[in-house]
Amino acid sequence: MSNNDHEPIVPKVGPASRRKFLRVATVGVIGTVVGRHALADSLNDVPVRAVGAPLSGHSERSEFVQLSRIPEAGPGLRNVNPSVAINSKTPLNKLVGTITPSDLHYERSHSGVPNLNPIKHRLLIHGMTKKALVLTVDDLKTMPAVSRIAFIECSGNGWENWKQADESLTVQNTHGLISTNEWTGVPLGFLIDIVGMQPEATWMLAEGGDAAGMARSIPMTDEIMNEAIVAYAQNGEPLRPAHGFPIRLLIPGWEGNLSVKWLRRLKFGNQPFMTRWETARYTSLMPNGKARQFQLRQEINSVITSPSGMMEIKPGYNRITGLAWSGHGKIKDVEISTDAGKTWSSAQLNYPVLPKAQARFQMDWEWDGKPTKIVSRSTDEKGNVQPDRKTLINHMGTNALFHYNAQQTWSINAEGRVRNVLA
Amino acid sequence: MSNNDHEPIVPKVGPASRRKFLRVATVGVIGTVVGRHALADSLNDVPVRAVGAPLSGHSERSEFVQLSRIPEAGPGLRNVNPSVAINSKTPLNKLVGTITPSDLHYERSHSGVPNLNPIKHRLLIHGMTKKALVLTVDDLKTMPAVSRIAFIECSGNGWENWKQADESLTVQNTHGLISTNEWTGVPLGFLIDIVGMQPEATWMLAEGGDAAGMARSIPMTDEIMNEAIVAYAQNGEPLRPAHGFPIRLLIPGWEGNLSVKWLRRLKFGNQPFMTRWETARYTSLMPNGKARQFQLRQEINSVITSPSGMMEIKPGYNRITGLAWSGHGKIKDVEISTDAGKTWSSAQLNYPVLPKAQARFQMDWEWDGKPTKIVSRSTDEKGNVQPDRKTLINHMGTNALFHYNAQQTWSINAEGRVRNVLA
């Protein structure tokens, strides 16, 4: 699935798609086949004959497009006063492709969004290092940099469905705590080379410059040393305040909470730092009453974004599309069932499929108008397969809040209404 | 350079970079090495102790970040009244990575930006087809789709330097008529399959729904049939009005002008349609007085975006970075000279390198403080090499306006001031 020379640049949309589509198109449901004389009439509304708006410094959205995140105060607490919101979710139901617009990247904060002055901001690197170093943001921008398209996902993504399924939820509600941007910054490994890590250092504390001083312990594995980035840009432009301006950590594939925003300090040590964020939060209560700690990697996951919760479909040709991702690496396969999990077919993946980034999938489907359930399941290059709900709950019970990655089922009734249900 | 399994996920920033960098860092120019007791002092300004702004529906930019396009009325006609502007350029000097934020994608229009209602908009496909078809925007969104990261470049990009070099220009002025987005839409080939192209059809007219009715002729090569997209989204969200809302054509690697915005009509024929846009404009006046027509492909190109025009650098470690692209396919190599073209070294390319998309390159450089000139030259997978200015002018003369792809030279004086010059 990687973008090498043996692959087409874009997936082929083949004769099977066309045939399925044409069965509908030729009876006039899609498009209007017009005779030569009716051409002018059919376009009557279209031509614009007045000069348009002047060119500008920024391209705003069309007045006909409504796109917005939904601020929430926690599971089930939607449409709250923004002052008590703790996250806001990406409208996956209204987006296509894989890149998330910067202003719609999901948001999670523990004490609001600080307005940091990049001239005054500093990053301290210290602890079990050969020297302590204080860097300005300009220092970081001077250093060698890398860019990478990667997802960030809150470990709370999916928490709406742990115990029960609210049928009024959209995919923005159920899965909107994940987004994919192109991130640019300095490799963490380069900074570590500069300060010199002591041999016994095995963990790193990353602390944010928000009022909460949100801080997490990160094990210094080879993967982290190779892939972590101190990022100053998203989608080519400086980070936006809600996403960590002027600098944040990026730990591709791990809990979003570890990609600490408004980064002010990296401290090296020989054990986890046991901050309140890894005890009071970001642990999972297991069936036996013990709490699972340091479940740091985001697991294999996927969701159908269209058709999805609260949409309506019609019998005949329907395009099923969605997103798949894994904290382990690249997505290798996404299978879709349109009969509630009885039979499965592989969907088409869009190129390039990048490691620890969201992958877009699609499949043609002719709906016969009978009630059914549709569901997706993904497999990554390491062989991890997205579990069904039963398997996940058997292992985790229903007391946990984080790392819900069960297959998402959408039920469709005879009227074509799509609803969130448990499998 | 493709992103296959044999490549690292991000480029390695190796010991050579670190050594070069440390030579500077250890003398205190970059960063501040602090003693244990001074740590608290050095961070005095940083901690925020007040709760930040509430979470929101959209993440706005920081008040400390200024990013804007520059509307222009033509070569050398900057800072004009927006009502007479014909284009606005992307601030390449302030962006990093490869993705261009949607609101900063460059703009070119021939009669302003129309405000089209997507419910009323129609796409007519007719001419030498088996049937004529009128499609709504919703019809298109129902069809199989592909997403692709690709650049769009105005063939006028670089026109400032055809005859002379204005030393006050930034890289936004010289090269800001190119941007890279992720585009999503229906493959043109799928639409053609539906209407059925007659065997003698070899050209396609694409007409925009702006007041100018901008229209271009496009030859129906295998490349176009395989790669062209009728796009409805950029960077995951609906196209913005300045970029063709609700639908535009995307012809990856070809003149931006062919990626017709506000697309309303595709007509098939057996010869070019000879619109005014391919006679009065978008031709190149050659030295012999004849006009070169239908030079449709954007050639191999590159530019150093930092350090670049009107920036200032200091002696010691400097990171050189920029963008390279080719309408022929993938970038294979970018070489940089820091001695006015006498010697060249290959820069590091960021992964993944995608066909007909911008590639980000970087190189470490220790500037000795003496006046010099820096320049980049790119090579693509088809073996095309970006020409120096002399070679281009020998062939094209200085009367042409379009398709200037000569190597860009930045001169640096003893004070470190960077200026636009001809080679």
Side-chain angles (χ1 to χ4, degrees):
Chain A
M1 302 296 162
S2 67
N3 181 55
N4 61 40
D5 294 339
H6 305 294
E7 275 174 353
I9 296 157
V10 291
K12 282 280 177 202
V13 173
S17 281
R18 190 174 68 249
R19 277 195 303 272
K20 278 192 189 174
F21 189 84
L22 280 177
R23 247 176 263 154
V24 180
T26 49
V27 296
V29 178
I30 303 285
T32 310
V33 179
V34 289
R36 303 280 149 172
H37 301 297
L39 286 181
D41 279 354
S42 71
L43 288 172
N44 255 356
D45 282 340
V46 176
V48 170
R49 288 295 166 247
V51 172
L55 280 69
S56 60
H58 303 88
S59 306
E60 302 302 335
R61 292 197 172 109
S62 165
E63 62 174 286
F64 299 102
V65 171
Q66 275 80 42
L67 284 173
S68 181
R69 291 179 307 218
I70 301 173
E72 295 182 350
L77 303 170
R78 291 177 290 282
N79 304 315
V80 296
N81 184 318
S83 66
V84 301
I86 64 165
N87 69 57
S88 73
K89 290 180 170 173
T90 295
L92 299 179
N93 46 343
K94 295 183 179 175
L95 299 179
V96 295
T98 60
I99 298 288
T100 311
S102 298
D103 72 326
L104 297 173
H105 192 290
Y106 89 85
E107 212 184 352
R108 170 77 175 101
S109 82
H110 298 78
S111 56
V113 178
N115 178 29
L116 299 181
N117 182 336
I119 303 298
K120 293 187 177 175
H121 192 76
R122 297 288 182 274
L123 172 63
L124 166 64
I125 308 177
H126 70 141
M128 289 186 170
T129 56
K130 293 190 180 144
K131 63 186 169 210
L133 197 64
V134 174
L135 296 168
T136 67
V137 176
D138 278 346
D139 289 340
L140 290 164
K141 289 186 176 173
T142 306
M143 297 178 181
V146 293
S147 296
R148 177 171 180 179
I149 294 173
F151 72 78
I152 299 182
E153 181 182 24
C154 179
S155 58
N157 205 20
W159 61 17
E160 296 286 354
N161 280 347
W162 262 121
K163 291 186 172 59
Q164 59 198 32
D166 177 343
E167 289 210 340
S168 74
L169 298 190
T170 68
V171 67
Q172 178 173 17
N173 302 134
T174 60
H175 287 78
L177 289 174
I178 182 166
S179 308
T180 291
N181 271 201
E182 182 193 47
W183 304 96
T184 300
V186 180
L188 177 66
F190 184 80
L191 295 172
I192 289 175
D193 281 348
I194 286 178
V195 295
M197 202 165 76
Q198 292 176 17
E200 63 271 33
T202 50
W203 286 78
M204 176 179 80
L205 178 79
E207 181 186 74
D210 53 342
M214 214 291 297
R216 289 297 305 267
S217 306
I218 298 161
M220 288 290 95
T221 62
D222 284 353
E223 178 187 358
I224 298 292
M225 301 281 277
N226 288 332
E227 297 191 29
I229 296 172
V230 174
Y232 48 75
Q234 61 184 129
N235 290 344
E237 63 167 294
L239 297 178
R240 297 190 175 202
H243 310 297
F245 182 82
I247 53 172
R248 77 178 300 167
L249 196 59
L250 176 74
I251 311 279
W254 289 36
E255 285 184 344
N257 186 237
L258 300 179
S259 289
V260 174
K261 298 192 282 191
W262 316 294
L263 186 69
R264 71 185 288 267
R265 191 156 71 100
L266 296 173
K267 182 176 186 176
F268 292 86
N270 58 5
Q271 56 185 351
F273 292 79
M274 305 309 289
T275 72
R276 63 169 286 219
W277 315 98
E278 38 219 22
T279 51
R281 287 178 185 273
Y282 301 108
T283 62
S284 294
L285 187 59
M286 302 291 286
N288 64 3
K290 293 201 173 185
R292 183 176 187 176
Q293 218 172 6
F294 296 119
Q295 185 185 355
L296 304 178
R297 193 182 300 279
Q298 290 302 108
E299 290 297 331
I300 176 92
N301 213 330
S302 74
V303 67
I304 294 170
T305 57
S306 178
S308 62
M310 303 304 282
M311 291 183 182
E312 275 192 47
I313 64 168
K314 289 178 182 163
Y317 179 90
N318 279 277
R319 175 190 180 226
I320 294 177
T321 182
L323 293 162
W325 62 96
S326 170
H328 296 274
K330 288 184 193 178
I331 290 296
K332 191 177 158 198
D333 189 26
V334 179
E335 295 162 291
I336 294 175
S337 171
T338 56
D339 55 8
K342 286 195 271 294
T343 62
W344 297 84
S345 310
S346 283
Q348 185 182 50
L349 292 179
N350 197 79
Y351 306 116
V353 176
L354 299 173
K356 304 179 186 177
Q358 287 179 298
R360 171 67 60 180
F361 63 82
Q362 74 176 341
M363 197 177 80
D364 304 311
W365 179 44
E366 274 188 278
W367 181 44
D368 59 10
K370 292 177 189 155
T372 189
K373 292 176 179 173
I374 60 173
V375 53
S376 65
R377 99 179 149 204
S378 52
T379 303
D380 67 29
E381 60 180 341
K382 304 279 169 59
N384 299 291
V385 180
Q386 184 183 5
D388 58 25
R389 177 177 165 82
K390 194 177 156 197
T391 304
L392 181 73
I393 298 299
N394 276 350
H395 177 54
M396 291 297 296
T398 57
N399 287 326
L401 195 57
F402 300 109
H403 294 280
Y404 184 90
N405 70 323
Q407 296 160 21
Q408 170 68 40
T409 302
W410 303 112
S411 128
I412 301 172
N413 72 6
E415 284 73 46
R417 285 197 283 269
V418 187
R419 295 294 183 267
N420 174 44
V421 293
L422 303 182
Chain B
M1 300 298 160
S2 68
N3 183 56
N4 60 40
D5 294 340
H6 305 294
E7 275 174 351
I9 295 157
V10 292
K12 281 282 176 200
V13 174
S17 281
R18 190 173 70 249
R19 276 196 303 272
K20 279 192 188 174
F21 189 85
L22 281 176
R23 246 176 262 155
V24 180
T26 49
V27 298
V29 178
I30 302 285
T32 310
V33 179
V34 290
R36 304 279 150 174
H37 300 298
L39 285 182
D41 279 354
S42 70
L43 288 174
N44 255 355
D45 282 341
V46 176
V48 170
R49 288 294 166 249
V51 172
L55 280 70
S56 61
H58 303 87
S59 307
E60 302 301 334
R61 291 196 172 111
S62 166
E63 62 174 285
F64 299 103
V65 171
Q66 275 80 44
L67 284 174
S68 181
R69 291 179 308 217
I70 302 173
E72 294 182 349
L77 303 171
R78 291 178 290 282
N79 303 315
V80 297
N81 184 315
S83 67
V84 300
I86 65 165
N87 69 57
S88 74
K89 291 179 170 174
T90 294
L92 299 179
N93 47 342
K94 295 182 179 173
L95 299 179
V96 295
T98 59
I99 298 288
T100 310
S102 298
D103 71 327
L104 298 173
H105 192 290
Y106 89 85
E107 210 183 356
R108 170 78 175 100
S109 82
H110 297 80
S111 55
V113 178
N115 178 30
L116 300 182
N117 182 335
I119 302 298
K120 294 188 177 176
H121 191 76
R122 297 288 182 274
L123 173 63
L124 166 64
I125 307 177
H126 70 141
M128 289 186 170
T129 56
K130 293 190 180 145
K131 63 186 169 208
L133 198 64
V134 173
L135 295 168
T136 66
V137 176
D138 277 346
D139 288 340
L140 290 164
K141 289 186 175 172
T142 307
M143 297 178 181
V146 293
S147 297
R148 178 171 179 178
I149 294 173
F151 74 77
I152 300 181
E153 182 182 24
C154 179
S155 57
N157 205 18
W159 62 16
E160 297 284 356
N161 281 347
W162 261 121
K163 290 186 170 61
Q164 60 198 32
D166 177 343
E167 289 210 341
S168 74
L169 298 190
T170 67
V171 69
Q172 180 173 16
N173 302 135
T174 60
H175 287 78
L177 289 174
I178 182 167
S179 308
T180 290
N181 272 201
E182 182 192 47
W183 303 96
T184 300
V186 180
L188 177 65
F190 184 79
L191 294 172
I192 289 175
D193 281 349
I194 286 179
V195 296
M197 203 164 75
Q198 292 176 18
E200 63 270 35
T202 51
W203 287 78
M204 175 180 80
L205 177 78
E207 181 186 73
D210 53 342
M214 215 291 297
R216 289 297 304 268
S217 306
I218 298 161
M220 287 292 94
T221 63
D222 284 351
E223 178 187 358
I224 298 292
M225 300 281 277
N226 287 333
E227 297 191 29
I229 296 171
V230 174
Y232 48 75
Q234 61 183 130
N235 291 345
E237 62 168 292
L239 297 178
R240 296 190 175 202
H243 310 297
F245 180 82
I247 55 171
R248 77 177 300 166
L249 196 58
L250 176 75
I251 311 279
W254 289 37
E255 285 184 345
N257 185 238
L258 300 179
S259 288
V260 174
K261 297 192 282 192
W262 314 296
L263 186 68
R264 70 183 289 267
R265 191 157 71 100
L266 295 172
K267 182 177 185 177
F268 291 86
N270 58 7
Q271 56 186 354
F273 291 78
M274 305 309 288
T275 72
R276 62 169 288 215
W277 315 98
E278 39 219 21
T279 52
R281 288 176 186 274
Y282 300 108
T283 62
S284 293
L285 187 58
M286 303 290 287
N288 64 4
K290 293 200 173 185
R292 182 177 190 176
Q293 218 172 6
F294 296 118
Q295 184 185 355
L296 303 178
R297 193 182 300 278
Q298 291 302 107
E299 290 297 331
I300 176 92
N301 212 330
S302 75
V303 67
I304 294 171
T305 57
S306 178
S308 63
M310 304 304 284
M311 291 183 182
E312 275 192 47
I313 64 167
K314 289 177 182 165
Y317 179 90
N318 279 277
R319 175 190 180 225
I320 295 177
T321 183
L323 294 163
W325 62 96
S326 170
H328 295 273
K330 288 184 191 179
I331 290 296
K332 190 178 160 196
D333 190 27
V334 179
E335 296 163 290
I336 293 175
S337 171
T338 57
D339 56 8
K342 286 196 270 294
T343 62
W344 298 84
S345 309
S346 283
Q348 186 181 49
L349 292 179
N350 197 80
Y351 307 115
V353 176
L354 299 173
K356 305 180 186 176
Q358 286 180 296
R360 170 67 58 179
F361 63 83
Q362 72 175 344
M363 197 177 79
D364 304 310
W365 178 43
E366 272 188 280
W367 181 45
D368 59 11
K370 292 177 188 156
T372 190
K373 290 176 180 173
I374 60 174
V375 53
S376 65
R377 102 179 147 203
S378 52
T379 302
D380 67 29
E381 61 180 342
K382 303 279 169 59
N384 300 290
V385 181
Q386 185 183 6
D388 59 24
R389 178 176 163 82
K390 195 177 156 196
T391 305
L392 182 73
I393 298 298
N394 276 350
H395 177 55
M396 291 296 297
T398 57
N399 287 325
L401 194 59
F402 299 109
H403 293 280
Y404 183 90
N405 70 322
Q407 295 160 22
Q408 169 67 40
T409 302
W410 302 113
S411 134
I412 300 173
N413 73 6
E415 284 74 46
R417 284 197 284 269
V418 187
R419 294 293 182 268
N420 174 43
V421 293
L422 303 183

